[in-house]
Structures are given as C-alpha cells and as structure tokens.
Amino acid sequence: MLDPALLRADLAATAERLRSRRGYALDVEALGALDAERKRLQTRTQELQNLRNTRSKAIGQAKARGEDAAPLLAEVAGIGDELKQSEARLDALRGELEALMLGIPNLPQDDVPQGRDENDNVEQHRWGTPRSFDFAPKDHVELGQRDGWLDAEAGAKLSGARFTVLRGALARLHRALAQFMIDLHTGEHGYDECSVPLIVNAESMQGTGQLPKFEDDLFATQVGDSRRYLIPTAEVALTNLVRGDIVEDAALPMLLTAHSMCFRAEAGSYGRDVRGMIRQHQFEKVELVAVARPAESGDVHERMTRHAEIVLERLELPYRRMLLCSGDMGFSASRTYDLEVWLPGQNAYREISSISNCDAFQARRMQARWRNPATGKPEPLHTLNGSGVAVGRALVAVMENHQQADGSIAIPAALRPYLGGADRIG
C-alpha cells in the first residue's frame, strides 16, 4: 500500500508516476472526492462529539441549579442521532478508501526504466555461453518422455491440464535440485530455513498483495465459513511472519528461505507454455525473503539477486540478468531483476527467477514495522522477495543444457553429492 500522506500531498504527480504501470490508471477524481468527503465528515463528527460533550455538561449544571433540562436533553438526543449517522458514513467511507488504496500498485523507483512490457526491459549482464551441440538438441518434454520420466498424461488423469507426474531418475533429480538450493542458501548465503503452511488466510494474501486484486489467480479452499488460500509462493507465508510486529533493529536484516509447493490458477494465461513444465498449476520453488531497514534494502536486493545467480552458475547454466521496466513489474514491486536461463529446446532465454524490492509497500499492508534506534519510534520496514530458484524450471534447464546425444543427462558437479555421486542419468 502506498503512503496515504503521499497521495494527499501530491495526488496528481503520484497518478502520473503510476501511469507507467501497464494497464493501470489511478482514478484521481474518485479518490479525491472520497478523501474530501472523509475530511468533511471527520471534521463534522469531531464537532458533534464536542457539542454533545458540552451540552451534556450543561445538562448536569442545569439540574444542579434545579432548572428544567428538557430542552437540553432533546438537543443532545438530536446531536446523538446525527453523530451516529455521521460515524456510520465515516466508517463506510474509510472502507471505500481502503479498498481503493489496496488496488493501487507500488510506485517504480526513480531509476527503473520506463516501458510497457518485456520488450522494454534492460539487460544488465550475461554469464556463460550457450552450448553448441553437434546433434539436434531436444526439449525437456522429448527428453523426459523417452524413459517415461515426465508423464503429462498421468498428471491430467489425476488432476487435469498443467499437472505433471515425475518418475524415476527425473523425480530424484528434481528433489536433488531443491536440496542443493536450500543447502546453498542456508550454508553459504546466511538464510534461515523455514517450513511454512501451504494454506493461508485472506489477511496473509492481502498483506503481500495477492488480494483483493488477483483472487482469480489463486486456488482457494472452503471449509464451513472458513475460506483459505493455497500459496502461490512461499513469499506469502515468509513475509507475513512479521505481520503486525515491531521488529527490533538488531534482528535486521532478516533473511528467510523455504522450499515449498506453489499453486497458481493463472486465470487468463491459457495458451501460453501449455507443453511441458514451464507453466504449471502446481510446482516447487525455493523462495528467498528479506526484511530490511529502509536504508539498506537496495544493497540487500543486489545481494539476493547475486545469491540466485550463484545457483545457476553452480548448475553450469548460461543466464542473463534483466532490469524490468515499469510496465513489466509485479504489483507489489518497486524494482525487479529477472534472471533468464538459456533453454536450447526453445532457443531462447526464459525467466527462472524474479527478485523484487517492495520498499514499504507490503509492510504498510501488513502493519509490519521496525524500531528505528535513531528516533526510538516504529516505522514501516522494507520487504524483498525472490526465487532462489524455481525448481521445475531449473530441472528443465539442466535437462536441456546438459543433454547428451544418446538422450542421457550429464549431472553438474554441484548436484552429484545429492545423487549418490552419479555423473549422468538415463
């Protein structure tokens, strides 16, 4: 959530900055009208409260003097009726304003490039050189089907489209990738490993920005009157660990990681990447989350991005880092790097990790603060999140980049300890 004071101080300028977010235009007229009515009603409510208190005191004084207090009692009753109506309308206005505020995306940082979509993203650097094959490389679907390792038909039989069953050596390789990533981030990068619920309440989804705007993209459960949501990423659970808290300065920066299942309905994305494991309704990811002091979140963002890059380098996968333009960033992000891994089967770089600084946007939604030692007062902290990395897409990248002419897959040295020392599968 944006700082309400920013909107009130310079609504027009803020709306202009938000125009760079793809598909979004702030309804300045509606927001201004609601806020103006809120101010008027708030002033009138305070006037009525003061008037009621003054008249109530006068009633006591009149009775003490033995005077007829009936006219004053009638006046107080009338004031009370108007006050109830004013308070009710003020509460409704606050609800309308909050709903409008919850639908406003984060502001891009000043150095984020302006643009509409992925074509306007800016490449920062590349690592590794795409491999030249002396045979026609296959994509991961062809490689996985040969030995029955990757079974989309079984997934569809059990659950429907965009679910996959992994078997045998490929299932083991998938598990090894997740274990390798968690060990790297906890052992070398300083993250605290967490095991988090896969089902969360609406408050958690609202805190990180999935609700109310993106409810159609979520899977939900309903038990009696209780509605809960399957997490689209462990970011939701990890970030909400500080919801409603005041974090002491000594605990910052807080670095958290979790390996979890993720669930995304992805309404409106049908027709995109329907083949194979690139875009699934259920997938696994190793998530990185940081809770930081505002002054250091930029440095933490760079560190987190480097941590995700190291995963790809250890797996010997060529990649490039992209700085996303304003129109291609996620709802809660103020600045985002995408890491795109090279996939020979598509002859293209594809996103495998997205690392975002959200500034205080999520913290305001969650009422998550830190105690600034300089002032001793609680202030909104900064939150960051990113993939470290998506396990299924890493599996696809390892399969395609390390495939051999006979259809086997060479195993990067970093993964061999997790596979009993094997240097290839298949």
Side-chain angles (χ1 to χ4, degrees), residues 27-233:
D27 191 339
V28 174
E29 186 175 334
L31 182 59
L34 282 172
D35 198 46
E37 187 177 358
R38 178 199 61 79
K39 289 177 183 176
R40 182 185 63 78
L41 268 176
Q42 190 166 297
T43 300
R44 180 56 180 163
T45 300
Q46 291 170 347
E47 289 174 350
L48 289 168
Q49 288 169 340
N50 292 334
L51 188 59
R52 183 182 60 180
N53 293 338
T54 301
R55 292 295 186 268
S56 295
K57 186 182 295 185
I59 289 170
Q61 293 171 345
K63 287 181 177 180
R65 293 192 298 267
E67 298 173 355
D68 182 11
L72 288 171
L73 286 168
E75 184 181 359
V76 168
I79 293 170
D81 290 341
E82 185 183 351
L83 181 59
K84 286 180 183 178
Q85 293 175 1
S86 182
E87 289 174 335
R89 177 56 184 155
L90 186 57
D91 285 342
L93 276 173
R94 286 170 175 158
E96 292 178 49
L97 276 167
E98 182 181 18
L100 201 157
M101 290 286 291
L102 288 172
I104 300 175
N106 202 357
L107 287 169
Q109 293 184 11
D110 291 339
D111 61 347
V112 167
Q114 299 291 298
R116 293 186 55 82
D117 54 33
E118 64 271 13
N119 296 312
D120 297 316
N121 296 338
V122 178
E123 183 175 320
Q124 304 289 290
H125 62 248
R126 297 189 182 200
W127 183 91
T129 302
R131 175 182 165 194
S132 295
F133 292 86
D134 55 8
F135 59 91
K138 299 179 174 64
D139 70 7
H140 70 284
V141 177
E142 295 175 280
L143 291 165
Q145 287 176 340
R146 197 189 82 153
D147 293 309
W149 290 341
L150 191 156
D151 194 339
E153 290 185 6
K157 174 183 176 181
L158 296 173
S159 304
R162 297 197 183 191
F163 291 90
T164 301
V165 172
L166 298 180
R167 292 190 173 98
L170 200 62
R172 188 180 182 190
L173 177 57
H174 186 267
R175 173 165 52 88
L177 281 162
Q179 291 176 315
F180 155 69
M181 294 174 200
I182 282 288
D183 286 349
L184 175 64
H185 294 313
T186 57
E188 296 187 28
H189 298 157
Y191 290 81
D192 186 19
E193 183 178 358
C194 302
S195 178
V196 296
L198 302 182
I199 301 175
V200 298
N201 54 31
E203 290 81 4
S204 296
M205 286 293 193
Q206 180 176 294
T208 44
Q210 282 77 23
L211 288 179
K213 189 174 178 63
F214 302 105
E215 183 157 12
D216 289 345
D217 291 326
L218 305 173
F219 285 106
T221 66
Q222 188 82 30
V223 180
D225 295 331
S226 177
R227 184 173 177 83
R228 293 187 174 89
Y229 298 85
L230 279 68
I231 60 171
T233 162

Side-chain angles (χ1 to χ4, degrees), residues 289-359:
V289 160
V291 178
R293 304 175 187 91
E296 67 186 5
S297 67
D299 291 338
V300 172
H301 189 204
E302 296 294 330
R303 285 166 51 197
M304 289 177 68
T305 305
R306 183 65 194 133
H307 295 158
E309 288 178 339
I310 290 172
V311 172
L312 302 180
E313 292 172 13
R314 297 281 179 91
L315 295 176
E316 303 165 35
L317 300 173
Y319 69 86
R320 65 182 185 180
R321 182 199 286 198
M322 306 293 291
L323 175 60
L324 299 197
C325 71
S326 56
D328 200 32
M329 290 194 305
F331 179 79
S332 297
S334 66
R335 182 182 176 88
T336 298
Y337 290 121
D338 269 7
L339 301 184
E340 298 180 348
V341 68
W342 176 257
L343 296 183
Q346 297 189 16
N347 196 38
Y349 286 97
R350 295 300 305 272
E351 186 251 315
I352 193 171
S353 174
S354 190
I355 305 96
S356 297
N357 188 349
C358 299
D359 294 336

Side-chain angles (χ1 to χ4, degrees), residues 240-307:
N240 274 277
L241 289 174
V242 296
R243 188 176 83 228
D245 292 348
I246 299 175
V247 181
E248 295 301 326
D249 179 72
L252 300 175
M254 187 185 300
L255 303 179
L256 307 172
T257 187
H259 165 222
S260 78
M261 290 285 188
C262 305
F263 305 88
R264 296 185 185 178
E266 296 194 289
S269 68
Y270 290 92
R272 299 174 57 198
D273 297 316
V274 295
R275 187 170 184 269
M277 293 185 63
I278 296 295
R279 194 178 295 273
Q280 298 271 283
H281 288 312
Q282 173 186 308
F283 59 97
E284 295 180 38
K285 186 151 64 79
V286 172
E287 185 71 7
L288 307 177
V289 160
V291 178
R293 304 175 187 91
E296 67 186 5
S297 67
D299 291 338
V300 172
H301 189 204
E302 296 294 330
R303 285 166 51 197
M304 289 177 68
T305 305
R306 183 65 194 133
H307 295 158

